[in-house]
Amino acid sequence: MDIIIQTYQLKKTFKKEVVIKPLDFSLRKGEICALIGKNGAGKSTIFKMLSGQLFPTAGDIQLFGKSGKETAQAKKRMGFMIEAPEFFPDFTAAQNLEYFRIQRGIAEKERIYEVLQIVDLAKQKKKRFRDYSMGMKQRLGIALCLLSSPDCLVLDEPINGLDAEGIMEIRKLLLKLNEEKQISILVSSHILTELQLLATRFVFIKNGVIVDDLSKKTLDDKSKKQIRLKVDDAAKAARLLEQAYPDIQYKILPNHIITIQNYVEESGEINRLLIDSGVLVMEFRIEALNLEEYFLGLVEGVEK
């Protein structure tokens, strides 16, 4: 499979603080890879090194198999949105893109209308940028990334600050670019439930280190199910559970809710044990843990 981005022992130090520890990472053609980490985990630093905004302290970056001086040419096949692009507030979308087209030496003028069509802004001919919603601004940012017809997009927090509708529009747009235009995508966010609907691969980063790298299938398997029950006496229920299952993993939440992380397949027996022992069970269900909970467990070092 073609490797689009490859880093070898990539490291970044600011003053004496090591922000990115030696990092090996690759993005394969066709993937939508989500880079997931809390704010300050090092996501933006990695993206800025890939785009050339920051120089690595050590290590190497290859883009489309090219490294060193040759990466400048390879970068033309990439579209980066690391920070919100600076658009002219009084310009329309087409006027803004025309400015960047000339600045970047892109020959085909009609490319502007193609990308506005792709991001669904073609009908907004007269609207000025300052009157755009946050979602429209993000879509114009992606249109700018697409001007040079890239094979790969690198997007840092493209859904940050968007409402539910804006998030859905960006998700649909990225899926369309991946499926119809075969554009590979590296995207970061901390809105994990969204990424679960988008990405094919999940890379978790904590303090500049990759702590896990999972396919969608593996992640879905790991986002294990748990039992959630609501009882009238959580303390009594917990005692009964510990007596019956010495290695049970559970949490007591507010409002007498208990979640049990193992013994999911024994749910019927657990329910019967509590009822037979005089605990009133008001709610009993099996639910899947979402990516958010899995991720928090991972980056905070708590075993799920």
Side-chain angles (χ1 to χ4, degrees):
M1 203 181 266
D2 300 331
I3 303 282
I4 290 182
I5 297 170
Q6 177 77 62
T7 75
Y8 298 97
Q9 296 292 291
L10 192 66
K11 183 179 172 189
K12 184 64 187 171
T13 311
F14 290 116
K15 295 189 175 146
K16 287 185 179 164
E17 190 192 353
V18 181
V19 181
I20 302 297
K21 302 186 176 75
L23 189 88
D24 291 330
F25 168 80
S26 61
L27 177 78
R28 291 178 285 280
K29 188 176 165 55
E31 283 187 315
I32 300 181
C33 178
L35 188 64
I36 303 164
K38 292 184 158 182
N39 290 336
K43 306 187 297 292
S44 295
T45 304
I46 293 169
F47 281 17
K48 284 176 180 173
M49 286 193 281
L50 292 175
S51 70
Q53 287 173 268
L54 283 177
F55 288 108
T57 307
D60 190 29
I61 296 170
Q62 284 192 359
L63 302 175
F64 300 97
K66 310 283 187 206
S67 61
K69 290 197 169 71
E70 291 184 321
T71 50
Q73 200 57 32
K75 267 196 196 105
K76 292 182 178 166
R77 297 175 62 189
M78 311 275 295
F80 293 97
M81 191 163 88
I82 313 289
E83 280 148 352
E86 289 292 315
F87 289 114
F88 296 100
D90 289 335
F91 281 15
T92 63
Q95 288 169 331
N96 267 299
L97 292 183
E98 174 64 5
Y99 167 81
F100 285 106
R101 180 188 75 80
I102 294 165
Q103 192 193 41
R104 293 177 183 187
I106 296 161
E108 312 80 36
K109 192 165 176 145
E110 59 277 11
R111 182 65 187 155
I112 290 174
Y113 302 99
E114 286 169 21
V115 297
L116 288 176
Q117 205 81 42
I118 292 168
V119 301
D120 204 19
L121 286 174
K123 294 190 184 83
Q124 307 287 346
K125 286 194 171 67
K126 295 196 171 142
K127 202 168 202 173
R128 295 178 192 283
F129 180 76
R130 62 160 180 253
D131 300 322
Y132 273 21
S133 69
M134 189 74 180
M136 289 166 76
K137 287 176 178 175
Q138 288 296 73
R139 296 210 309 273
L140 186 58
I142 293 172
L144 178 57
C145 287
L146 295 171
L147 259 188
S148 57
S149 308
D151 296 309
C152 176
L153 290 179
V154 177
L155 308 171
D156 192 14
E157 300 272 3
I159 54 178
N160 206 6
L162 298 186
D163 60 11
E165 191 185 351
I167 288 173
M168 194 174 74
E169 285 171 358
I170 297 288
R171 181 177 77 233
K172 279 169 44 188
L173 170 60
L174 296 182
L175 285 167
K176 183 171 88 168
L177 291 170
N178 180 255
E179 285 161 17
E180 292 176 14
K181 313 275 183 203
Q182 275 73 57
I183 294 177
S184 310
I185 298 171
L186 177 61
V187 56
S188 80
S189 180
H190 54 271
I191 307 177
L192 309 167
T193 41
E194 249 326 292
L195 291 177
Q196 213 163 3
L197 299 171
L198 175 68
T200 54
R201 177 178 160 212
F202 301 84
V203 174
F204 294 91
I205 181 168
K206 177 187 181 183
N207 301 332
V209 176
I210 290 175
V211 287
D212 216 341
D213 184 343
L214 308 170
S215 69
K216 182 160 177 58
K217 186 190 178 311
T218 312
L219 181 83
D220 290 344
D221 292 345
K222 279 200 176 197
S223 301
K224 285 204 299 279
K225 294 186 167 63
Q226 66 176 4
I227 299 169
R228 180 187 176 95
L229 56 145
K230 184 171 183 172
V231 293
D232 63 338
D233 187 340
K236 182 180 177 184
R239 276 199 309 276
L240 290 163
L241 291 169
E242 284 179 9
Q243 283 161 7
Y245 306 96
D247 61 341
I248 196 158
Q249 295 170 11
Y250 69 91
K251 289 183 189 144
I252 297 180
L253 306 175
N255 304 322
H256 303 284
I257 289 170
I258 299 176
T259 59
I260 302 169
Q261 282 73 45
N262 53 357
Y263 290 106
V264 176
E265 57 290 343
E266 313 282 331
S267 58
E269 286 76 7
I270 288 172
N271 197 16
R272 191 176 309 118
L273 164 76
L274 296 174
I275 291 166
D276 290 352
S277 308
V279 174
L280 178 63
V281 180
M282 291 164 277
E283 184 187 316
F284 191 102
R285 61 190 162 97
I286 293 171
E287 62 180 14
L289 288 177
N290 65 19
L291 177 53
E292 204 101 24
E293 291 172 55
Y294 173 75
F295 161 70
L296 287 172
L298 195 67
V299 294
E300 287 168 7
V302 180
E303 259 309 311
K304 281 278 174 223

